[in-house]
Amino acid sequence: MRIHSAAALALCLGALTACGGGGGAPSAEGAGVPPPTSEQTAATGARKPAASLRGKVIVIDPGHNGGNGDNASKINKQVRIGNGSKACDTTGTATNDGYNEHAFTWDVSKRLAKLLKAKGAEVHLTRNNDTGWGPCITERAALGNRLKADAALSVHADGASASAHGFHIIQPIAVKGYNAGMVPDSQRLGRALRDAYHEGTGVAYSNYRGKKALDPRDDLGGLNLSKVPKVFIECGNMRNPGDAAKMKSAEFRQRVAASLTEGFEVYFQS
Ligand code: ZN
């Protein structure tokens, strides 16, 4: 326990203001479904690390949304995803004791945005709170396209059978006339994030999806409709007790954010 506390403290100090405030308190960015905020970095703080991500535009997409469950008719509306149709959005999964995926993805995304901004990146989130509904997967992809983002990441956690565990990255498969141009860079982004996440969090490769934690798919609107390099991460399986215990820990979520930040740095350096 003492070791954990010390490690958490070190992480907090390293990230300056990154720790604390992650308990789901609504952000100051407002309620409802306002348009996504531009969160350009302000250069402040003498202890700021080298701005390795300066000039990079990164879209972070926190999967699902806290209000989706109360807006079934809106999120169930079918939208076109290039090679078929899918629901606008979904409610996501939860741990067996009720920690919701949307809360996890929101918390990780906020932490990740903070760390990326500290490295000089211009970061945009696809939603501004964890209480509204949507946006539709079409809009989640369109934001990166409009911004001509350098990279995009959709943050998720899985809801598989209890014995399934570990993380995986979902990479795009080319859908003709849609995302073909971004597939090679997305594959590179996926490998960089996989390696950094594996090393930084110690979470095992998925034992139920993909090969070496890489799972190519062409049934996700967020990937089919993206013109910019983009992957999804399924950070673990919320229905697996071991993975769930990790995801419920704020200390772990900070490690997730730190490792993904490192993955982006590796991607942009290579
Ligand atoms: Zn999800």
Side-chain angles (χ1 to χ4, degrees):
M1 279 304 150
R2 273 185 189 286
I3 292 165
H4 275 123
S5 304
L9 181 62
L11 260 176
C12 292
L13 290 173
L16 296 181
T17 57
C19 288
S27 80
E29 287 160 323
V33 193
T37 315
S38 170
E39 302 193 66
Q40 197 142 12
T41 302
T44 54
R47 289 167 61 201
K48 220 167 123 120
S52 56
L53 296 174
R54 181 174 295 146
K56 302 300 181 193
V57 177
I58 301 174
V59 169
I60 301 300
D61 174 34
H64 316 284
N65 202 335
N68 281 3
D70 293 330
N71 289 278
S73 61
K74 288 172 181 156
I75 66 162
N76 288 336
K77 204 182 114 210
Q78 292 290 299
V79 294
R80 298 282 308 154
I81 64 161
N83 56 2
S85 297
K86 260 202 153 164
C88 151
D89 207 9
T90 50
T91 55
T93 188
T95 63
N96 289 337
D97 57 358
Y99 179 51
N100 288 308
E101 182 188 355
H102 64 78
F104 171 79
T105 68
W106 176 241
D107 184 75
V108 164
S109 297
K110 294 291 280 183
R111 291 171 187 272
L112 177 55
K114 193 175 279 187
L115 295 182
L116 292 172
K117 283 191 272 187
K119 302 266 182 188
E122 177 187 325
V123 183
H124 299 257
L125 300 179
T126 56
R127 56 182 169 98
N128 293 324
N129 56 57
D130 194 35
T131 53
W133 66 271
C136 290
I137 52 178
T138 45
E139 175 55 26
R140 290 174 189 264
L143 178 64
N145 296 345
R146 277 201 303 276
L147 294 165
K148 296 188 166 48
D150 294 293
L153 172 65
S154 195
V155 179
H156 287 260
D158 214 354
S161 63
S163 61
H165 72 86
F167 82 98
H168 67 281
I169 301 279
I170 305 172
Q171 291 178 307
I173 292 174
V175 176
K176 212 170 171 216
Y178 289 89
N179 63 353
M182 60 69 118
V183 170
D185 279 342
S186 300
Q187 289 174 340
R188 206 161 53 78
L189 174 65
R191 288 193 298 270
L193 293 174
R194 175 200 61 184
D195 292 349
Y197 187 86
H198 189 49
E199 196 178 309
T201 65
V203 176
Y205 288 170
S206 167
N207 69 350
Y208 66 100
R209 293 249 11 179
K211 268 190 195 155
K212 294 187 177 169
L214 298 175
D215 188 28
R217 287 171 61 174
D218 65 358
D219 63 329
L220 296 171
L223 295 181
N224 291 2
L225 302 177
S226 181
K227 307 278 186 210
V228 305
K230 182 175 180 182
V231 297
F232 280 41
I233 183 165
E234 296 282 1
C235 293
N237 174 20
M238 296 194 106
R239 298 293 184 183
N240 172 268
D243 285 3
K246 286 179 187 149
M247 287 187 267
K248 287 192 288 182
S249 150
E251 197 182 316
F252 174 78
R253 295 194 297 272
Q254 187 63 24
R255 273 207 301 279
V256 169
S259 65
L260 293 173
T261 299
E262 202 155 313
F264 277 110
E265 287 183 287
V266 169
Y267 170 70
F268 285 119
Q269 280 159 13
S270 61

